[in-house]
Structure formats: structure tokens, C-alpha cells
Amino acid sequence: MASVSATQTAPRPSRARRWISGFGERETRTALLFILPWIFGFLVFQLGPMLFSLYYSFTNYGVQQIAGLEPTKTVGLKNYRQLVDDPKVMASLKNTFIYTVMMVPGRLIVALLLAMLLMRVGKLGGVFRTIFYLPTVTPPVAIGVMLVFLFNGTYGIINRGLHVIGIQGPYWTTDPNWIKPSIALMDIWACGATMVVLLAALYAVPQHLYEAASMDGASPLRRFFTITLPMISPALFFMFIILTLYGLQQFTQSYTAYFGPGGTQPEAALFYSIYLFRNAFEYFNMGFASAMAWVLFAISMIITGINILASKRFVFYQGGPR
């Protein structure tokens, strides 16, 4: 009886609390309503195709199956074993890794230098920010076309400029040793988005740290390595991950420059994504291409995981360790 009476006399939630609770529920429903188009798009255009490609990677799905001449059959790990036996897979992976190793550090360094310069420009900062960001909004196909004209060994603007200062420029677009550096340089040129992220990180560095370091007699170089780099390390780490994933998926610029109509198709420009695309939509070997896609996904996840583990030693968060 005592428990019953205690339950009966328990205070009811106030009207204000009930109103706040109901408001929170309505807010949740409204938020779900707004993200519903994204959820639909993710399920239909991303997760669905990913699951289908995982299934096709274990089948013989190809030209005969697309034409309806033969049924689709499960072949087990045959497509994955074929990846090891195909020399172009290894060559394209090598090209992709070399390009990524050149592009990622170069783009981070140039973007950081531009961001630090913009902090000292003053009132014209907005103008220069727009100028430096313009290459980012340039269509990748246009960048691929520009690559052919700018780096042409005979009449390209780059070699003409080098000739003015007495340097004999290489044949960027035909010499296998210079094809990947030329593509990396074009991607480094379009570093506007990376620059904006690093610029925001630089503005977030507390100024009193620089003042205290100056009072202690620290040189600008010492302040950069002991204050600037640690404080912007989360932004650098974020952009390092994004650029690494971008480099592993390099496609549009090199395909436009070398594998489009009339392209020379040099092996030095055969990146992994290009070979995947050709297997899928030129040779219509969908099963093999799906296996290639999942291997690339696994490589990306492994590299990202290694970077996240390594970041615990090199990335500083103001709120404490993560």
C-alpha cells in the first residue's frame, strides 16, 4: 500500500518540461525529414551499388552476361586471383602510389605557404583568396586539357618559361619519368580548397602563444615549429587523409590528357582507377572491375587506419588527447 500511494503521489512533469520534451521530438522529426533525401540517395546510389559490386566481384559478369547470352555464375575468388596475375594491375598501383607520394606533400606545403602569406596581406586578403581558389573550381577535364598544352615538350608554356632562364625543359607529356610529376604539379596548382582549410586553422591559433614565445626570444622559425605546426596539426592531418584518398582515386585529369580520343595511352599514366574504368566500361569485364574496386577500397581503409594510429603521436588537440 505504501508503494502504491507513493506512486500515486509522485509529482507529474511540469507543463514546461513536457513542452520542451515534445519540442525536442519535433526537432528530431524535422531533422530526419531534412536528411531523408540524403539517406535515400546514399542507399540507392552508394550503398546499393557497393553491395552489387561486392556480389559481382565473385561472379563472371561480363560482356556475355550483359548481352544475355550466358547466365551469371559464381566464380569464387577467381577475379581476385586474376588481380595478382595481371601485370597492369601492379603497374597501375605503382603509378598511383608514386603520384600520391608526390602530390600530397607538395599540395600541403604549397597550400600552407599560401595560407601564411594570406595572413599577412591585410585588406587585399579576400582578393588573393579568390585568385588562389579559382583553380579549385576549374573543371578537372579542363585541367587535363591544360596539362597537355602547358607541359608540351616542344611548344608548352612551361618549357618556354624555363628556356627564358636558360633551362632545357624535359618532355613532360611523353617522357615516362616526367608524366607523373606533371600530373602532380597540376594537382598541386589546384590547392585552393586545402589552402582555405589551413587558413582557417591558422586564424584559430591563440595569439597569446606567439606573444609569449616572442617575449622568451623565440625566432620566427622556432615559433613556426613549436606553436604553428602543433596547433594546426588536426587540420593538416584531416587534409592529409582527404588528399591521400583523392590521390588513390586519381582519374579525370590523366584520363582526359592521355586516354581520351587520340590519346597516347602511356603506361606511366595508367593509374589504378583508369584501369578499373577501362575494364568496366571498355572491356565490359564487370566482375574483374568490381574486384579491383574492392581492393582499392581495402587499400584506402588500411592506409587511413595506419594514419589514424600514427596521428596519436603527431597530432595535437587543444581539448586534450583523443
Side-chain angles (χ1 to χ4, degrees):
M1 293 295 294
S3 61
V4 174
S5 60
T7 304
Q8 291 176 348
T9 58
R12 294 183 178 180
S14 63
R15 179 178 299 178
R17 183 174 295 180
R18 293 197 305 270
W19 184 84
I20 292 174
S21 177
F23 180 77
E25 292 176 0
R26 288 198 298 272
E27 287 286 307
T28 302
R29 289 195 296 269
T30 303
L32 290 174
L33 184 64
F34 273 102
I35 67 174
L36 187 61
W38 179 88
I39 295 175
F40 176 80
F42 172 76
L43 294 175
V44 175
F45 299 112
Q46 289 185 302
L47 184 60
M50 285 180 65
L51 295 177
F52 273 109
S53 70
L54 180 61
Y55 165 72
Y56 286 136
S57 69
F58 298 102
T59 67
N60 63 341
Y61 192 65
V63 177
Q64 301 295 326
Q65 289 71 31
I66 294 174
L69 301 177
E70 292 182 6
T72 301
K73 297 180 181 179
T74 303
V75 295
L77 297 176
K78 178 181 177 182
N79 290 323
Y80 291 93
R81 288 194 294 267
Q82 189 178 346
L83 290 175
V84 181
D85 299 330
D86 191 338
K88 287 190 176 181
V89 171
M90 295 297 110
S92 62
L93 268 179
K94 180 181 176 181
N95 292 336
T96 302
F97 287 143
I98 293 174
Y99 157 80
T100 303
V101 168
M102 289 189 295
M103 184 272 295
V104 174
R107 194 160 178 171
L108 284 174
I109 292 171
V110 172
L112 181 57
L113 290 175
L114 291 176
M116 295 181 69
L117 288 174
L118 285 175
M119 291 191 68
R120 291 163 173 77
V121 170
K123 295 182 179 180
L124 294 177
V127 176
F128 285 104
R129 227 176 6 247
T130 303
I131 294 173
F132 293 148
Y133 192 80
L134 283 177
T136 302
V137 298
T138 304
V141 173
I143 294 178
V145 175
M146 290 173 59
L147 188 152
V148 175
F149 287 100
L150 290 176
F151 288 92
N152 185 279
T154 304
Y155 56 81
I157 297 176
I158 301 298
N159 276 5
R160 288 186 178 183
L162 292 174
H163 181 72
V164 171
I165 58 177
I167 299 176
Q168 180 64 37
Y171 287 90
W172 302 87
T173 58
T174 55
D175 188 341
N177 296 320
W178 288 99
I179 286 177
K180 286 183 285 292
S182 65
I183 299 174
L185 285 173
M186 290 300 292
D187 277 331
I188 292 171
W189 168 69
C191 66
T194 307
M195 176 203 67
V196 170
V197 173
L198 297 182
L199 181 62
L202 288 172
Y203 276 121
V205 178
Q207 292 300 310
H208 65 83
L209 297 178
Y210 292 117
E211 296 171 1
S214 298
M215 294 177 62
D216 290 339
S219 64
L221 189 62
R222 180 71 179 272
R223 293 198 298 268
F224 174 77
F225 283 104
T226 58
I227 298 176
T228 304
L229 277 184
M231 297 301 293
I232 68 171
S233 57
L236 286 171
F237 172 67
F238 170 76
M239 291 311 306
F240 181 82
I241 293 292
I242 296 299
L243 292 176
T244 300
L245 296 178
Y246 169 80
L248 294 175
Q249 300 176 58
Q250 163 60 235
F251 175 80
T252 307
Q253 293 92 320
S254 51
Y255 186 86
T256 303
Y258 297 104
F259 293 90
T264 56
Q265 303 186 4
E267 185 173 325
L270 183 64
F271 294 109
Y272 191 84
S273 294
I274 293 178
Y275 191 49
L276 190 160
F277 173 85
R278 302 189 75 183
N279 272 284
F281 301 106
E282 292 184 17
Y283 314 143
F284 296 103
N285 192 354
M286 291 291 182
F288 182 71
S290 298
M292 288 187 65
W294 278 95
V295 168
L296 180 61
F297 177 78
I299 292 173
S300 301
M301 292 299 100
I302 291 171
I303 293 176
T304 303
I306 293 173
N307 287 329
I308 291 174
L309 292 176
S311 70
K312 296 179 180 179
R313 297 187 58 185
F314 302 105
V315 179
F316 170 78
Y317 294 97
Q318 297 187 50
R322 292 292 189 271

